């Protein structure tokens, strides 16, 4: 059985687990917290980050690399568009999520609101969270709203790795109690709600909410 190394608080681990679920591939989750990781883990993930992945003799690091590997190894259902331009757009939204979105949703919101109080016994930096929600998120939401069409997915209208990466970040925001204003960003709000309801995301949401007490 393949193994995903990491913890369910990570949006990058979530990306890989959603791809595995969409492709109906069983796997084990081996908990690794990315602080002072072991030399063995660093052999799989030289930057010491989660997720890492083992499939027999193959080991891989980085969620985007692991998801691309899974697509080649298990092509159905396809999670990357066939059309060259839509393929590139899906990768762009993956990149956008894994850089711009996570920079705000992760350290400025999810960490302060969920991880710091629950796992580090620190008070919530409410002012910091408020500022990030008021100032940092809106331009990111404006951009996504401008890119969404009527289809299921943001790239080419079909569900893809772009949607998985975006929604993985919104799962962390939702755990932090941060939603999308339906009046200001109606398409984005509908899109996030719909994507989080997919069985692949919903099963993880239940597991995560039980672990964080955010249900
Ligand atoms: N580009 C990497 C990013 C992975 C990442 O930053 N993971 C975080 C947890 S959410 C981590 O391991 N941080 C520890 C560190 O940066 O040392 C991916 O897509 O897998």
């Amino acid at each position: 059985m393949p193994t995903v190394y990491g913890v369910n608080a990570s949006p990058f681990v979530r990306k890989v687990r959603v791809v595995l679920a969409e492709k109906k591939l069983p796997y084990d989750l081996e908990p690794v917290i990315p602080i002072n990781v072991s030399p063995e883990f660093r052999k799989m993930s030289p930057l010491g980050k989660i997720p890492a992945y083992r499939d027999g003799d193959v080991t891989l690091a980085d969620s985007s690399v692991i998801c691309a590997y899974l697509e080649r190894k298990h092509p159905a259902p396809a999670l990357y568009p066939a059309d060259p331009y839509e393929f590139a757009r899906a990768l762009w939204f993956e990149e956008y999520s894994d850089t711009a979105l996570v920079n705000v949703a992760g350290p400025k919101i999810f960490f302060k609101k969920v991880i710091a109080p629950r796992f580090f016994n620190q008070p919530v930096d409410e002012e910091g969270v408020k500022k990030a929600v008021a100032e940092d998120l809106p331009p990111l939401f404006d951009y996504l709203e401008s890119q969404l069409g009527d289809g299921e997915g943001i790239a080419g209208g079909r569900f893809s790795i772009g949607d998985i990466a975006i929604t993985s970040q919104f799962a962390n925001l939702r755990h932090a109690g941060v939603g999308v204003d339906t009046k200001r960003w109606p398409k984005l709000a509908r899109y996030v709600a719909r994507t989080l309801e997919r069985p692949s995301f919903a099963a993880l949401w239940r597991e995560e909410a039980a672990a964080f007490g955010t249900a």
Side-chain angles (χ1 to χ4, degrees), residues 51-131:
Y53 185 75
R54 178 185 293 284
D55 182 6
D57 291 339
V58 167
T59 62
L60 295 168
D62 192 281
S63 64
S64 302
V65 170
I66 299 164
C67 293
Y69 166 83
L70 290 169
E71 179 76 4
R72 279 286 170 99
K73 186 132 200 239
H74 307 278
L79 296 175
Y80 292 71
D83 175 81
Y85 175 61
E86 298 305 348
F87 172 75
R89 292 252 306 158
L91 294 187
W92 159 246
F93 288 112
E94 181 179 29
E95 173 63 15
Y96 184 78
S97 307
D98 291 1
T99 54
L101 271 183
V102 75
N103 285 346
V104 180
K108 294 187 176 181
I109 297 177
F110 178 74
F111 184 85
K112 288 182 174 171
K113 193 87 191 193
V114 179
I115 300 295
R118 281 173 181 76
F119 301 106
F120 292 96
N121 213 14
Q122 290 169 6
V124 177
D125 170 12
E126 297 287 2
E127 277 312 303
V129 172
K130 229 158 105 182
K131 191 168 179 323

Side-chain angles (χ1 to χ4, degrees), residues 7 9-13 15-16 32-37 41-42 45 47-52 61-66 94-95 98-99 102 106 169 172:
V7 285
S10 162
F12 302 106
V13 171
K15 274 174 66 187
V16 171
V32 173
I33 295 172
I35 302 171
N36 297 324
V37 294
F41 181 75
R42 224 169 246 282
S45 179
L47 300 178
K49 297 183 189 226
I50 56 170
D62 192 281
S63 64
S64 302
V65 170
I66 299 164
E94 181 179 29
E95 173 63 15
D98 291 1
T99 54
V102 75
Q169 300 300 334
N172 284 76

Side-chain angles (χ1 to χ4, degrees), residues 140-158:
L140 301 170
F141 285 12
D142 287 344
Y143 173 66
L144 290 173
E145 179 79 11
S146 78
Q147 297 300 303
L148 282 164
D150 296 328
E152 188 185 24
I154 197 163
R158 288 186 54 191

Side-chain angles (χ1 to χ4, degrees), residues 8 114 118-119 175 202-215:
N8 61 8
V114 179
R118 281 173 181 76
F119 301 106
H175 282 304
L204 292 184
W205 171 267
R206 286 191 293 274
E207 175 199 299
E208 297 159 10
F212 310 146
T214 53

